[in-house]
Amino acid sequence: MTVTESRTEHHVDTREALLDAAEALFSEHGIQASSLRMITHQAGANLAAVHYHFGSKEGLVRAVFARRLQPLQEERFRLLEACDLSGGVEGKGVEQVIHAFVAPLIRRMRETPDGAHAFAQLMGRVFSEPSEDVRSMLIQELKPSADRFVDALRQLLPHLADKELMWRFQFLAGGMGHTVSCQKMVARFSEGVCGGDPDEMLRYLVTFMASGLRAPATAEPDLQGEPA
Amino acid sequence: MTVTESRTEHHVDTREALLDAAEALFSEHGIQASSLRMITHQAGANLAAVHYHFGSKEGLVRAVFARRLQPLQEERFRLLEACDLSGGVEGKGVEQVIHAFVAPLIRRMRETPDGAHAFAQLMGRVFSEPSEDVRSMLIQELKPSADRFVDALRQLLPHLADKELMWRFQFLAGGMGHTVSCQKMVARFSEGVCGGDPDEMLRYLVTFMASGLRAPATAEPDLQGEPA
DNA sequence: GTCTATATAGCGATAGAC
DNA sequence: GTCTATCGCTATATAGAC
Protein backbone atom coordinates (compact mmCIF):
# COMPACT_ATOMS: atom_id res chain seq x y z
CA MET A 1 0.00 0.00 0.00
CA THR A 2 2.59 2.50 1.11
CA VAL A 3 4.84 1.38 -1.72
CA THR A 4 2.60 2.15 -4.66
CA GLU A 5 1.29 5.33 -3.10
CA SER A 6 -0.42 6.76 -6.19
CA ARG A 7 -4.08 6.10 -5.37
CA THR A 8 -5.04 8.35 -2.49
CA GLU A 9 -8.68 8.86 -3.37
CA HIS A 10 -9.48 5.42 -4.64
CA HIS A 11 -7.80 4.42 -7.90
CA VAL A 12 -6.09 6.59 -10.49
CA ASP A 13 -5.75 3.73 -12.90
CA THR A 14 -5.97 0.15 -11.78
CA ARG A 15 -4.16 -1.07 -14.87
CA GLU A 16 -1.12 1.12 -14.25
CA ALA A 17 -1.15 0.34 -10.55
CA LEU A 18 -1.06 -3.35 -11.38
CA LEU A 19 1.86 -2.85 -13.76
CA ASP A 20 3.79 -0.85 -11.15
CA ALA A 21 3.18 -3.40 -8.43
CA ALA A 22 4.03 -6.32 -10.69
CA GLU A 23 7.25 -4.68 -11.85
CA ALA A 24 8.37 -3.98 -8.31
CA LEU A 25 7.55 -7.46 -7.06
CA PHE A 26 8.97 -9.26 -10.09
CA SER A 27 12.25 -7.45 -9.65
CA GLU A 28 12.30 -8.07 -5.91
CA HIS A 29 11.23 -11.71 -5.75
CA GLY A 30 11.27 -12.94 -9.33
CA ILE A 31 8.32 -13.52 -11.61
CA GLN A 32 7.44 -17.00 -10.50
CA ALA A 33 7.62 -16.11 -6.82
CA SER A 34 5.34 -13.09 -7.19
CA SER A 35 1.79 -14.28 -6.76
CA LEU A 36 -1.21 -12.46 -8.13
CA ARG A 37 -2.35 -12.07 -4.55
CA MET A 38 0.80 -10.15 -3.64
CA ILE A 39 0.54 -8.02 -6.76
CA THR A 40 -3.11 -7.10 -6.45
CA HIS A 41 -2.71 -6.42 -2.75
CA GLN A 42 0.20 -4.04 -3.33
CA ALA A 43 -1.69 -2.36 -6.16
CA GLY A 44 -4.74 -1.95 -3.97
CA ALA A 45 -6.73 -3.91 -6.52
CA ASN A 46 -8.81 -7.02 -6.47
CA LEU A 47 -7.43 -10.43 -7.33
CA ALA A 48 -9.75 -10.73 -10.31
CA ALA A 49 -8.58 -7.41 -11.79
CA VAL A 50 -5.49 -9.06 -13.28
CA HIS A 51 -7.57 -11.44 -15.32
CA TYR A 52 -9.90 -8.67 -16.39
CA HIS A 53 -7.10 -6.38 -17.64
CA PHE A 54 -4.46 -8.84 -18.83
CA GLY A 55 -6.24 -12.16 -19.23
CA SER A 56 -3.66 -14.11 -17.23
CA LYS A 57 -0.47 -13.77 -15.27
CA GLU A 58 1.46 -14.35 -18.50
CA GLY A 59 -0.35 -11.42 -20.11
CA LEU A 60 0.59 -9.24 -17.17
CA VAL A 61 4.24 -10.25 -17.52
CA ARG A 62 4.26 -9.32 -21.19
CA ALA A 63 2.66 -5.97 -20.48
CA VAL A 64 5.21 -5.17 -17.77
CA PHE A 65 8.06 -5.67 -20.23
CA ALA A 66 6.43 -4.00 -23.21
CA ARG A 67 5.75 -0.82 -21.25
CA ARG A 68 9.44 -0.21 -20.48
CA LEU A 69 11.22 -1.94 -23.33
CA GLN A 70 9.83 0.09 -26.20
CA PRO A 71 10.93 3.55 -25.03
CA LEU A 72 14.24 2.07 -23.89
CA GLN A 73 14.94 0.67 -27.34
CA GLU A 74 13.93 3.92 -29.00
CA GLU A 75 16.38 5.86 -26.87
CA ARG A 76 19.13 3.39 -27.65
CA PHE A 77 18.48 3.80 -31.37
CA ARG A 78 18.52 7.59 -31.12
CA LEU A 79 21.85 7.52 -29.35
CA LEU A 80 23.25 4.94 -31.74
CA GLU A 81 22.38 7.07 -34.74
CA ALA A 82 24.27 9.97 -33.21
CA CYS A 83 27.45 7.90 -32.94
CA ASP A 84 30.39 8.69 -35.16
CA LEU A 85 31.35 5.38 -36.78
CA SER A 86 33.82 6.88 -39.21
CA GLY A 87 36.83 6.89 -36.91
CA GLY A 88 37.23 3.11 -36.82
CA VAL A 89 38.86 1.34 -33.92
CA GLU A 90 40.89 4.38 -32.89
CA GLY A 91 38.01 6.85 -32.87
CA LYS A 92 35.62 7.72 -30.08
CA GLY A 93 32.91 5.68 -31.81
CA VAL A 94 33.67 2.63 -29.69
CA GLU A 95 32.96 4.50 -26.47
CA GLN A 96 29.92 6.14 -28.03
CA VAL A 97 28.34 2.86 -29.09
CA ILE A 98 28.85 1.32 -25.66
CA HIS A 99 27.40 4.41 -24.11
CA ALA A 100 24.40 4.30 -26.43
CA PHE A 101 23.77 0.71 -25.40
CA VAL A 102 24.16 1.08 -21.67
CA ALA A 103 23.26 4.66 -20.80
CA PRO A 104 19.51 4.49 -21.43
CA LEU A 105 19.24 1.78 -18.82
CA ILE A 106 21.48 3.63 -16.37
CA ARG A 107 19.65 6.91 -16.88
CA ARG A 108 16.37 5.28 -15.95
CA MET A 109 17.94 3.71 -12.88
CA ARG A 110 19.09 7.12 -11.76
CA GLU A 111 15.93 9.06 -12.54
CA THR A 112 13.17 6.76 -11.39
CA PRO A 113 14.63 4.77 -8.53
CA ASP A 114 11.44 2.90 -7.75
CA GLY A 115 10.32 2.32 -11.33
CA ALA A 116 13.02 1.91 -13.93
CA HIS A 117 15.46 0.86 -11.24
CA ALA A 118 13.29 -2.09 -10.43
CA PHE A 119 12.87 -2.74 -14.12
CA ALA A 120 16.61 -2.61 -14.79
CA GLN A 121 17.14 -5.21 -12.11
CA LEU A 122 14.38 -7.30 -13.60
CA MET A 123 15.81 -6.94 -17.11
CA GLY A 124 19.17 -8.31 -16.12
CA ARG A 125 17.66 -11.15 -14.19
CA VAL A 126 15.19 -12.20 -16.78
CA PHE A 127 17.87 -13.30 -19.22
CA SER A 128 18.26 -16.47 -17.28
CA GLU A 129 14.52 -16.72 -16.93
CA PRO A 130 13.48 -20.34 -17.29
CA SER A 131 10.07 -19.62 -18.82
CA GLU A 132 10.08 -20.11 -22.58
CA ASP A 133 7.26 -17.60 -22.95
CA VAL A 134 9.37 -14.87 -21.40
CA ARG A 135 12.45 -15.96 -23.30
CA SER A 136 10.90 -15.79 -26.74
CA MET A 137 9.25 -12.48 -25.96
CA LEU A 138 12.63 -11.07 -24.96
CA ILE A 139 14.28 -12.31 -28.13
CA GLN A 140 11.54 -10.83 -30.24
CA GLU A 141 11.80 -7.52 -28.40
CA LEU A 142 15.58 -7.22 -28.16
CA LYS A 143 17.00 -8.98 -31.19
CA PRO A 144 16.52 -6.10 -33.68
CA SER A 145 18.29 -3.78 -31.27
CA ALA A 146 21.14 -6.21 -30.69
CA ASP A 147 21.61 -6.64 -34.43
CA ARG A 148 21.91 -2.93 -34.99
CA PHE A 149 24.52 -2.59 -32.28
CA VAL A 150 26.51 -5.49 -33.65
CA ASP A 151 26.37 -3.86 -37.08
CA ALA A 152 27.77 -0.65 -35.64
CA LEU A 153 30.55 -2.53 -33.89
CA ARG A 154 31.34 -4.37 -37.11
CA GLN A 155 31.96 -1.05 -38.82
CA LEU A 156 34.24 0.05 -36.02
CA LEU A 157 36.13 -3.23 -35.69
CA PRO A 158 36.46 -4.60 -39.23
CA HIS A 159 39.56 -6.59 -38.30
CA LEU A 160 37.47 -8.97 -36.18
CA ALA A 161 35.93 -12.18 -37.48
CA ASP A 162 32.18 -12.16 -37.07
CA LYS A 163 32.22 -14.86 -34.44
CA GLU A 164 34.62 -13.00 -32.20
CA LEU A 165 32.72 -9.77 -32.76
CA MET A 166 29.50 -11.39 -31.59
CA TRP A 167 31.17 -12.91 -28.58
CA ARG A 168 32.51 -9.50 -27.60
CA PHE A 169 29.05 -8.03 -27.83
CA GLN A 170 27.86 -10.81 -25.50
CA PHE A 171 30.63 -10.01 -23.03
CA LEU A 172 29.54 -6.38 -23.12
CA ALA A 173 25.88 -7.23 -22.65
CA GLY A 174 26.74 -9.72 -19.90
CA GLY A 175 28.92 -7.31 -17.97
CA MET A 176 26.19 -4.72 -18.13
CA GLY A 177 23.45 -7.18 -17.25
CA HIS A 178 25.35 -8.61 -14.32
CA THR A 179 26.22 -5.29 -12.75
CA VAL A 180 22.68 -4.01 -13.22
CA SER A 181 20.73 -7.06 -12.16
CA CYS A 182 22.98 -8.22 -9.35
CA GLN A 183 23.60 -4.89 -7.68
CA LYS A 184 23.00 -6.24 -4.21
CA MET A 185 25.39 -9.12 -4.72
CA VAL A 186 27.99 -6.83 -6.30
CA ALA A 187 27.76 -4.48 -3.34
CA ARG A 188 28.14 -7.32 -0.87
CA PHE A 189 31.09 -8.83 -2.70
CA SER A 190 32.87 -5.49 -2.76
CA GLU A 191 31.82 -4.67 0.82
CA GLY A 192 29.94 -1.61 -0.32
CA VAL A 193 32.69 -0.18 -2.50
CA CYS A 194 30.76 -0.93 -5.70
CA GLY A 195 27.42 0.36 -4.50
CA GLY A 196 25.59 3.54 -5.11
CA ASP A 197 26.39 5.74 -8.06
CA PRO A 198 25.18 4.35 -11.40
CA ASP A 199 26.96 7.06 -13.39
CA GLU A 200 30.28 6.15 -11.86
CA MET A 201 29.65 2.54 -12.77
CA LEU A 202 28.80 3.62 -16.31
CA ARG A 203 32.12 5.46 -16.71
CA TYR A 204 34.11 2.48 -15.45
CA LEU A 205 32.12 0.17 -17.66
CA VAL A 206 32.70 2.23 -20.80
CA THR A 207 36.45 2.31 -20.15
CA PHE A 208 36.63 -1.41 -19.55
CA MET A 209 34.42 -2.53 -22.42
CA ALA A 210 35.97 -0.15 -24.95
CA SER A 211 39.38 -1.58 -24.18
CA GLY A 212 38.03 -5.11 -24.44
CA LEU A 213 36.38 -4.40 -27.78
CA ARG A 214 39.55 -2.84 -29.15
CA ALA A 215 41.71 -5.85 -28.28
CA PRO A 216 43.47 -7.45 -31.26
CA ALA A 217 41.81 -10.55 -32.65
CA THR A 218 42.47 -13.72 -30.68
CA ALA A 219 45.14 -15.94 -32.17
CA GLU A 220 44.38 -19.57 -32.94
CA PRO A 221 44.82 -21.99 -29.99
CA ASP A 222 48.20 -23.07 -28.56
CA LEU A 223 49.32 -19.45 -28.45
CA GLN A 224 47.09 -19.07 -25.44
CA GLY A 225 49.00 -18.39 -22.23
CA GLU A 226 47.90 -21.04 -19.77
CA PRO A 227 49.40 -21.33 -16.30
CA ALA A 228 51.51 -24.40 -15.52
CA MET B 1 13.43 -41.47 -15.30
CA THR B 2 15.14 -41.69 -18.62
CA VAL B 3 17.07 -38.54 -17.78
CA THR B 4 18.82 -39.69 -14.65
CA GLU B 5 19.40 -43.15 -16.06
CA SER B 6 21.82 -44.38 -13.39
CA ARG B 7 19.56 -46.68 -11.36
CA THR B 8 18.72 -49.63 -13.55
CA GLU B 9 18.45 -52.22 -10.80
CA HIS B 10 16.77 -50.20 -8.15
CA HIS B 11 18.85 -47.42 -6.59
CA VAL B 12 22.58 -46.88 -6.60
CA ASP B 13 22.38 -44.09 -4.09
CA THR B 14 19.17 -42.22 -3.48
CA ARG B 15 21.00 -39.25 -2.02
CA GLU B 16 23.14 -38.77 -5.12
CA ALA B 17 20.20 -39.39 -7.43
CA LEU B 18 18.30 -36.63 -5.63
CA LEU B 19 21.23 -34.24 -5.98
CA ASP B 20 21.56 -35.01 -9.70
CA ALA B 21 17.87 -34.57 -10.34
CA ALA B 22 17.67 -31.38 -8.31
CA GLU B 23 20.68 -29.90 -10.09
CA ALA B 24 19.23 -30.66 -13.51
CA LEU B 25 15.80 -29.31 -12.67
CA PHE B 26 17.10 -26.23 -10.85
CA SER B 27 19.20 -25.32 -13.85
CA GLU B 28 16.36 -26.00 -16.27
CA HIS B 29 13.45 -24.39 -14.47
CA GLY B 30 14.94 -22.48 -11.57
CA ILE B 31 14.95 -23.39 -7.91
CA GLN B 32 11.58 -22.03 -6.94
CA ALA B 33 9.86 -23.61 -9.94
CA SER B 34 11.29 -27.07 -9.25
CA SER B 35 8.97 -28.84 -6.87
CA LEU B 36 10.05 -31.67 -4.63
CA ARG B 37 7.57 -33.84 -6.46
CA MET B 38 9.29 -33.20 -9.79
CA ILE B 39 12.69 -33.82 -8.24
CA THR B 40 11.83 -37.04 -6.45
CA HIS B 41 9.99 -38.33 -9.51
CA GLN B 42 12.98 -37.72 -11.77
CA ALA B 43 15.31 -39.28 -9.20
CA GLY B 44 13.06 -42.32 -8.93
CA ALA B 45 12.75 -41.64 -5.23
CA ASN B 46 9.91 -41.05 -2.84
CA LEU B 47 8.71 -37.60 -1.91
CA ALA B 48 9.65 -38.13 1.72
CA ALA B 49 13.23 -39.03 0.81
CA VAL B 50 14.18 -35.37 0.46
CA HIS B 51 13.18 -34.65 4.03
CA TYR B 52 14.90 -37.75 5.26
CA HIS B 53 18.23 -36.94 3.57
CA PHE B 54 18.29 -33.15 3.60
CA GLY B 55 15.68 -32.08 6.13
CA SER B 56 14.01 -29.61 3.81
CA LYS B 57 14.07 -28.19 0.30
CA GLU B 58 16.47 -25.51 1.54
CA GLY B 59 18.83 -28.23 2.78
CA LEU B 60 18.69 -29.88 -0.61
CA VAL B 61 19.54 -26.59 -2.33
CA ARG B 62 22.55 -26.08 -0.10
CA ALA B 63 23.77 -29.60 -0.74
CA VAL B 64 23.46 -29.18 -4.51
CA PHE B 65 25.74 -26.14 -4.41
CA ALA B 66 28.19 -27.45 -1.86
CA ARG B 67 28.83 -30.62 -3.86
CA ARG B 68 30.09 -28.69 -6.90
CA LEU B 69 31.37 -25.47 -5.43
CA GLN B 70 34.04 -26.85 -3.15
CA PRO B 71 36.09 -28.72 -5.77
CA LEU B 72 35.59 -25.81 -8.19
CA GLN B 73 37.04 -23.34 -5.71
CA GLU B 74 39.94 -25.63 -4.94
CA GLU B 75 40.84 -25.87 -8.61
CA ARG B 76 40.63 -22.10 -8.97
CA PHE B 77 43.00 -21.66 -6.05
CA ARG B 78 45.48 -24.17 -7.45
CA LEU B 79 45.53 -22.37 -10.80
CA LEU B 80 45.75 -18.97 -9.14
CA GLU B 81 48.78 -20.02 -7.12
CA ALA B 82 50.51 -21.07 -10.34
CA CYS B 83 50.05 -17.60 -11.85
CA ASP B 84 53.06 -15.37 -12.36
CA LEU B 85 52.13 -12.05 -10.76
CA SER B 86 55.60 -10.54 -11.05
CA GLY B 87 55.25 -9.19 -14.57
CA GLY B 88 52.72 -6.49 -13.68
CA VAL B 89 50.29 -5.13 -16.21
CA GLU B 90 52.47 -6.03 -19.19
CA GLY B 91 53.13 -9.63 -18.18
CA LYS B 92 51.10 -12.74 -18.95
CA GLY B 93 49.81 -12.73 -15.37
CA VAL B 94 46.64 -10.91 -16.39
CA GLU B 95 45.65 -13.63 -18.82
CA GLN B 96 46.67 -16.29 -16.34
CA VAL B 97 44.50 -14.93 -13.55
CA ILE B 98 41.47 -14.64 -15.82
CA HIS B 99 42.10 -18.15 -17.00
CA ALA B 100 42.38 -19.44 -13.44
CA PHE B 101 39.03 -17.86 -12.63
CA VAL B 102 37.09 -19.01 -15.65
CA ALA B 103 38.69 -22.23 -16.85
CA PRO B 104 37.61 -24.53 -13.99
CA LEU B 105 33.98 -23.77 -14.81
CA ILE B 106 34.53 -24.20 -18.55
CA ARG B 107 36.42 -27.44 -18.09
CA ARG B 108 33.53 -28.93 -16.15
CA MET B 109 31.09 -27.80 -18.80
CA ARG B 110 33.11 -29.58 -21.44
CA GLU B 111 33.75 -32.78 -19.51
CA THR B 112 30.43 -33.52 -17.87
CA PRO B 113 27.77 -32.13 -20.19
CA ASP B 114 24.82 -33.30 -18.14
CA GLY B 115 26.26 -32.59 -14.72
CA ALA B 116 28.63 -29.68 -14.39
CA HIS B 117 27.12 -28.15 -17.49
CA ALA B 118 23.78 -27.90 -15.76
CA PHE B 119 25.55 -26.62 -12.68
CA ALA B 120 27.43 -23.94 -14.60
CA GLN B 121 24.16 -22.73 -16.00
CA LEU B 122 22.67 -22.78 -12.53
CA MET B 123 25.65 -20.92 -11.08
CA GLY B 124 25.32 -18.03 -13.47
CA ARG B 125 21.61 -17.79 -12.96
CA VAL B 126 21.60 -18.00 -9.24
CA PHE B 127 23.34 -14.66 -8.82
CA SER B 128 20.08 -12.94 -9.45
CA GLU B 129 18.33 -15.45 -7.25
CA PRO B 130 15.77 -13.65 -5.14
CA SER B 131 15.93 -16.00 -2.15
CA GLU B 132 17.95 -14.52 0.68
CA ASP B 133 18.89 -17.99 1.89
CA VAL B 134 20.51 -18.80 -1.43
CA ARG B 135 22.11 -15.38 -1.66
CA SER B 136 23.83 -15.51 1.69
CA MET B 137 25.00 -19.06 1.09
CA LEU B 138 26.58 -17.95 -2.18
CA ILE B 139 28.35 -15.01 -0.55
CA GLN B 140 29.69 -17.24 2.17
CA GLU B 141 30.87 -19.80 -0.36
CA LEU B 142 32.32 -17.46 -3.00
CA LYS B 143 33.55 -14.38 -1.17
CA PRO B 144 36.92 -15.80 -0.03
CA SER B 145 37.63 -16.87 -3.60
CA ALA B 146 36.63 -13.50 -5.02
CA ASP B 147 38.84 -11.71 -2.52
CA ARG B 148 41.88 -13.73 -3.49
CA PHE B 149 41.35 -13.01 -7.16
CA VAL B 150 40.91 -9.31 -6.50
CA ASP B 151 44.14 -9.40 -4.50
CA ALA B 152 45.95 -10.97 -7.41
CA LEU B 153 44.58 -8.37 -9.79
CA ARG B 154 45.60 -5.61 -7.42
CA GLN B 155 49.19 -6.80 -7.63
CA LEU B 156 49.02 -6.82 -11.41
CA LEU B 157 47.23 -3.48 -11.79
CA PRO B 158 48.62 -1.24 -9.04
CA HIS B 159 47.78 1.89 -11.00
CA LEU B 160 44.05 1.33 -10.45
CA ALA B 161 42.10 2.76 -7.55
CA ASP B 162 40.49 0.03 -5.49
CA LYS B 163 37.00 0.97 -6.53
CA GLU B 164 37.76 0.72 -10.23
CA LEU B 165 39.64 -2.53 -9.67
CA MET B 166 36.63 -4.07 -7.98
CA TRP B 167 34.29 -2.88 -10.69
CA ARG B 168 36.53 -4.47 -13.29
CA PHE B 169 36.42 -7.74 -11.42
CA GLN B 170 32.65 -7.50 -11.46
CA PHE B 171 32.65 -6.90 -15.22
CA LEU B 172 34.82 -9.99 -15.62
CA ALA B 173 32.60 -12.09 -13.39
CA GLY B 174 29.49 -10.76 -15.10
CA GLY B 175 30.72 -11.45 -18.59
CA MET B 176 31.62 -14.98 -17.59
CA GLY B 177 28.37 -15.54 -15.74
CA HIS B 178 26.24 -14.22 -18.56
CA THR B 179 27.87 -16.29 -21.28
CA VAL B 180 27.75 -19.40 -19.13
CA SER B 181 24.28 -19.09 -17.68
CA CYS B 182 22.52 -17.66 -20.72
CA GLN B 183 23.98 -19.93 -23.37
CA LYS B 184 20.64 -20.52 -24.99
CA MET B 185 19.89 -16.83 -25.22
CA VAL B 186 23.40 -16.08 -26.47
CA ALA B 187 23.07 -18.70 -29.18
CA ARG B 188 19.72 -17.35 -30.28
CA PHE B 189 20.91 -13.75 -30.36
CA SER B 190 23.89 -14.70 -32.49
CA GLU B 191 21.82 -17.08 -34.62
CA GLY B 192 23.97 -20.01 -33.61
CA VAL B 193 27.32 -18.37 -34.24
CA CYS B 194 28.11 -18.21 -30.53
CA GLY B 195 27.04 -21.72 -29.69
CA GLY B 196 28.95 -24.87 -29.14
CA ASP B 197 32.62 -24.81 -28.25
CA PRO B 198 33.29 -23.67 -24.66
CA ASP B 199 37.05 -23.58 -25.21
CA GLU B 200 36.69 -21.18 -28.08
CA MET B 201 34.53 -18.98 -25.89
CA LEU B 202 37.17 -19.16 -23.18
CA ARG B 203 39.88 -17.92 -25.56
CA TYR B 204 37.79 -15.01 -26.75
CA LEU B 205 36.84 -14.18 -23.21
CA VAL B 206 40.44 -14.13 -21.99
CA THR B 207 41.45 -11.80 -24.82
CA PHE B 208 38.57 -9.44 -24.18
CA MET B 209 38.80 -9.33 -20.40
CA ALA B 210 42.59 -9.02 -20.33
CA SER B 211 42.35 -5.98 -22.55
CA GLY B 212 39.58 -4.53 -20.40
CA LEU B 213 41.56 -5.06 -17.21
CA ARG B 214 44.65 -3.45 -18.72
CA ALA B 215 42.81 -0.27 -19.72
CA PRO B 216 44.20 2.93 -18.19
CA ALA B 217 42.33 4.23 -15.18
CA THR B 218 39.15 6.13 -15.98
CA ALA B 219 39.52 9.90 -15.88
CA GLU B 220 37.22 11.98 -13.69
CA PRO B 221 33.86 12.94 -15.30
CA ASP B 222 33.44 15.54 -18.09
CA LEU B 223 36.33 13.97 -19.97
CA GLN B 224 33.92 11.17 -20.82
CA GLY B 225 33.04 11.03 -24.52
CA GLU B 226 29.29 11.19 -24.75
CA PRO B 227 27.45 11.31 -28.06
CA ALA B 228 25.57 14.50 -28.94
C1' DG C 1 -15.04 -2.61 -13.93
C1' DT C 2 -14.82 -4.30 -9.53
C1' DC C 3 -16.30 -7.29 -6.08
C1' DT C 4 -16.99 -12.07 -3.24
C1' DA C 5 -16.84 -16.72 -3.32
C1' DT C 6 -15.13 -20.75 -4.89
C1' DA C 7 -13.25 -24.45 -8.03
C1' DT C 8 -9.24 -27.09 -8.93
C1' DA C 9 -4.69 -28.10 -8.34
C1' DG C 10 -0.08 -28.08 -6.55
C1' DC C 11 3.00 -27.00 -2.82
C1' DG C 12 6.30 -28.32 1.43
C1' DA C 13 6.19 -30.92 5.33
C1' DT C 14 5.08 -34.67 8.62
C1' DA C 15 3.29 -39.02 10.91
C1' DG C 16 3.57 -43.59 11.19
C1' DA C 17 3.57 -48.35 8.96
C1' DC C 18 6.92 -51.40 7.05
C1' DG D 1 15.75 -46.02 4.62
C1' DT D 2 11.60 -46.07 2.05
C1' DC D 3 6.76 -46.12 1.71
C1' DT D 4 1.57 -44.21 1.86
C1' DA D 5 -1.49 -40.98 3.40
C1' DT D 6 -2.61 -36.67 4.70
C1' DC D 7 -2.39 -31.96 6.86
C1' DG D 8 -2.41 -27.04 6.08
C1' DC D 9 -1.52 -23.81 2.92
C1' DT D 10 -1.20 -21.16 -1.37
C1' DA D 11 -1.50 -20.86 -6.19
C1' DT D 12 -4.12 -19.44 -10.72
C1' DA D 13 -8.35 -19.04 -12.59
C1' DT D 14 -13.36 -18.39 -13.00
C1' DA D 15 -18.51 -17.62 -12.08
C1' DG D 16 -21.75 -14.53 -10.99
C1' DA D 17 -23.57 -10.56 -7.96
C1' DC D 18 -23.30 -5.63 -7.95
Side-chain angles (χ1 to χ4, degrees):
Chain A
M1 301 205 174
T2 55
V3 185
T4 315
E5 147 194 320
S6 36
R7 307 142 296 92
T8 47
E9 193 133 339
H10 193 220
H11 46 270
V12 174
D13 186 341
T14 299
R15 201 189 135 92
E16 283 297 308
L18 286 170
L19 288 172
D20 288 340
E23 182 174 79
L25 288 166
F26 288 167
S27 98
E28 184 67 20
H29 309 108
I31 295 175
Q32 153 93 18
S34 303
S35 71
L36 296 185
R37 281 174 172 77
M38 290 162 66
I39 294 165
T40 50
H41 177 258
Q42 175 153 332
N46 185 273
L47 175 60
V50 169
H51 296 91
Y52 176 80
H53 286 285
F54 304 101
S56 67
K57 182 177 182 178
E58 166 67 18
L60 173 61
V61 172
R62 286 176 174 275
V64 164
F65 280 94
R67 181 175 65 150
R68 300 278 185 206
L69 231 42
Q70 281 158 16
L72 180 79
Q73 299 289 64
E74 280 164 24
E75 187 178 349
R76 278 178 167 165
F77 286 154
R78 266 197 309 103
L79 292 176
L80 183 60
E81 276 164 15
C83 290
D84 175 19
L85 305 181
S86 67
V89 68
E90 295 303 331
K92 272 294 184 189
V94 180
E95 277 81 5
Q96 289 174 359
V97 169
I98 299 167
H99 186 272
F101 186 66
V102 183
L105 203 53
I106 304 294
R107 186 179 69 76
R108 285 170 170 75
M109 287 169 57
R110 177 171 16 88
E111 292 179 2
T112 43
D114 56 331
H117 192 111
F119 180 71
Q121 186 175 334
L122 175 58
M123 265 309 298
R125 164 178 301 163
V126 91
F127 263 73
S128 44
E129 174 70 30
S131 153
E132 176 54 30
D133 287 321
V134 176
R135 251 185 228 168
S136 59
M137 184 206 54
L138 274 178
I139 293 277
Q140 187 186 331
E141 200 82 41
L142 295 175
K143 181 78 165 58
S145 162
D147 286 344
R148 287 179 62 173
F149 276 89
V150 169
D151 286 342
L153 290 175
R154 206 185 336 259
Q155 283 187 56
L156 290 166
L157 311 167
H159 60 289
L160 287 183
D162 229 50
K163 186 186 278 189
E164 183 153 23
L165 181 75
M166 287 184 176
W167 271 118
R168 290 192 183 182
F169 176 71
Q170 292 298 336
F171 301 147
L172 164 61
M176 178 195 70
H178 170 78
T179 48
V180 157
S181 78
C182 311
Q183 285 174 98
K184 281 171 197 158
M185 289 292 270
V186 167
R188 279 164 79 169
F189 267 105
S190 65
E191 285 160 21
V193 174
C194 298
D197 189 355
D199 289 301
E200 189 178 58
M201 187 271 265
L202 174 58
R203 289 197 305 275
Y204 291 146
L205 189 135
V206 169
T207 302
F208 182 93
M209 297 297 169
S211 180
L213 288 173
R214 285 202 180 94
T218 302
E220 285 303 293
D222 83 60
L223 278 166
Q224 190 60 34
E226 300 187 344
Chain B
M1 299 203 173
T2 55
V3 184
T4 315
E5 146 192 325
S6 36
R7 305 142 297 96
T8 47
E9 193 134 338
H10 192 217
H11 46 268
V12 175
D13 186 341
T14 299
R15 201 189 134 92
E16 283 297 307
L18 285 171
L19 288 172
D20 289 340
E23 182 174 79
L25 288 168
F26 288 167
S27 100
E28 185 67 20
H29 307 110
I31 296 175
Q32 153 94 17
S34 304
S35 71
L36 295 184
R37 284 172 171 82
M38 290 162 66
I39 294 165
T40 49
H41 176 257
Q42 174 153 331
N46 185 273
L47 175 60
V50 168
H51 296 92
Y52 176 80
H53 286 286
F54 304 101
S56 66
K57 183 177 183 179
E58 166 68 19
L60 173 61
V61 172
R62 287 177 174 273
V64 165
F65 280 92
R67 179 174 67 150
R68 301 277 184 206
L69 231 41
Q70 279 157 17
L72 180 80
Q73 299 289 62
E74 280 164 23
E75 187 178 348
R76 279 179 167 165
F77 286 154
R78 266 197 309 102
L79 292 176
L80 183 61
E81 276 163 14
C83 290
D84 175 18
L85 304 181
S86 66
V89 69
E90 294 303 331
K92 272 293 185 189
V94 179
E95 277 81 5
Q96 290 174 359
V97 169
I98 299 167
H99 186 273
F101 186 66
V102 182
L105 203 54
I106 304 295
R107 185 177 70 75
R108 285 171 171 75
M109 287 170 57
R110 177 171 16 87
E111 293 180 2
T112 44
D114 57 331
H117 193 110
F119 180 71
Q121 186 175 335
L122 175 58
M123 266 308 299
R125 163 177 304 162
V126 90
F127 264 75
S128 44
E129 174 69 31
S131 153
E132 176 54 30
D133 286 321
V134 175
R135 252 184 227 168
S136 60
M137 182 207 55
L138 274 178
I139 293 276
Q140 186 185 332
E141 201 81 41
L142 295 174
K143 182 79 164 59
S145 162
D147 286 344
R148 285 178 61 172
F149 276 89
V150 169
D151 286 343
L153 291 175
R154 205 185 334 257
Q155 284 187 56
L156 290 165
L157 311 167
H159 59 291
L160 287 184
D162 230 49
K163 186 185 277 189
E164 183 154 23
L165 181 76
M166 287 183 176
W167 271 119
R168 291 191 182 183
F169 177 72
Q170 292 298 335
F171 301 147
L172 164 62
M176 179 195 70
H178 170 79
T179 49
V180 156
S181 78
C182 310
Q183 284 174 101
K184 280 170 197 157
M185 290 291 271
V186 168
R188 280 164 78 170
F189 267 105
S190 64
E191 284 159 21
V193 173
C194 298
D197 189 355
D199 289 300
E200 190 178 57
M201 188 272 265
L202 174 58
R203 289 197 305 276
Y204 291 145
L205 189 135
V206 170
T207 302
F208 182 93
M209 296 297 168
S211 181
L213 288 174
R214 284 202 181 93
T218 302
E220 287 303 292
D222 82 59
L223 277 166
Q224 189 63 30
E226 299 186 344

